[in-house]
Amino acid sequence: IPDYSLVPEISYPVPAEEVRDAIKFVIDQAADIHATFPGSPALDTATIFVAGHSAGSVHVGTAFFDPGVLAEDASLRENIKAIALMGCPGNFIMDGWGSAQKTVLEQYYGSPEGIETNHLLALVQRASDRLMKGLPPVVFVESEREPKTIYASAADLRASLAKRISEVGGGRGGWKDVKDIIARVHNHISINWALSTGQGEEWAEELIRYFQQ
């Protein structure tokens, strides 16, 4: 679980680059990491699943949708078998974002023009056919009680991604359906806190089943 740097000390796309670098670190240092935990299973770095929640989902999405962060022909892409975007605010130019949120967004993206150019929806809409064809399956996870703006913006991104994947004939391996999992009874925060409690984990079990396909 990598941390990422925060505004105002950094700007786009540093956190996405840090997510990318964390994945690369695990791949490059797999043997040493395994040796650090005697008795643990060896790391299967050829079968990596990446999940991000809220702002983290923006950084995960940026890493894979922006070829300036992760080149279209980067070997790292082949190690990623699926991506989960959870509670993902995918459209920052729609109505509903408050003034405080807009201030943070401008700090991160640099300007209103930067937001329009580099938020996830824009990245997907202008992504090349090659990037789309090489994209691993993407699954969305939303809490049943997400804030309306996050839910709506995730829906916009999901629809745009499904459209682009259909236009190119499918992503890597031919996948076309952009799966959406609803975490019943959860709000934006509780979804992750429920893990390992034995309650409210059904969404995670469904996600694991999807990964195992």
Side-chain angles (χ1 to χ4, degrees), residues 29-43:
Q29 305 297 324
D32 289 341
I33 293 172
H34 180 233
T36 303
F37 301 96
S40 64
L43 300 183

Side-chain angles (χ1 to χ4, degrees), residues 121-132:
L121 183 63
L123 293 178
V124 167
Q125 289 175 337
R126 72 167 185 269
S128 71
D129 289 357
R130 181 183 182 186
L131 189 151
M132 285 289 114

Side-chain angles (χ1 to χ4, degrees), residues 33-207:
I33 293 172
H34 180 233
T36 303
F37 301 96
S40 64
L43 300 183
D44 180 5
T45 58
T47 310
I48 295 175
F49 299 89
V50 182
H53 176 254
S54 196
S57 69
V58 173
H59 302 322
V60 168
T62 298
F64 289 95
F65 300 151
D66 186 343
V69 176
L70 187 61
E72 294 177 359
D73 60 353
S75 60
L76 174 62
R77 289 183 179 270
E78 296 297 322
N79 298 74
I80 310 303
K81 301 309 177 188
I83 299 167
L85 302 180
M86 303 167 53
C88 182
N91 180 357
F92 285 137
I93 60 173
M94 66 182 293
D95 294 334
W97 300 108
S99 58
Q101 294 162 326
K102 289 179 180 178
T103 297
V104 173
L105 289 171
E106 288 192 18
Q107 288 178 325
Y108 180 51
Y109 288 104
S111 66
E113 294 74 21
I115 298 172
E116 292 184 7
T117 300
N118 294 312
H119 73 293
L120 291 185
L121 183 63
L123 293 178
V124 167
Q125 289 175 337
R126 72 167 185 269
S128 71
D129 289 357
R130 181 183 182 186
L131 189 151
M132 285 289 114
K133 289 180 180 179
L135 197 66
V138 179
V139 57
F140 285 73
V141 181
E142 285 99 29
S143 297
E144 186 176 26
R145 300 172 183 174
E146 289 283 1
K148 292 181 180 179
T149 304
I150 291 181
Y151 190 88
S153 65
D156 282 353
L157 177 62
R158 189 170 65 252
S160 182
L161 178 61
K163 181 175 182 292
R164 290 291 292 117
I165 289 294
S166 177
E167 289 172 347
V168 302
R172 190 200 312 155
W175 71 276
K176 293 182 181 179
D177 294 330
V178 182
K179 185 173 178 59
D180 187 31
I181 296 173
I182 302 299
R184 302 298 176 191
V185 310
H186 282 295
N187 60 43
H188 188 66
I189 302 299
S190 67
I191 184 171
N192 288 315
W193 286 103
L195 295 176
S196 297
T197 67
Q199 300 180 47
E201 297 178 291
E202 291 82 2
W203 69 267
E205 294 168 353
E206 185 176 354
L207 181 61

Side-chain angles (χ1 to χ4, degrees), residues 6 26 160:
L6 306 176
V26 170
S160 182

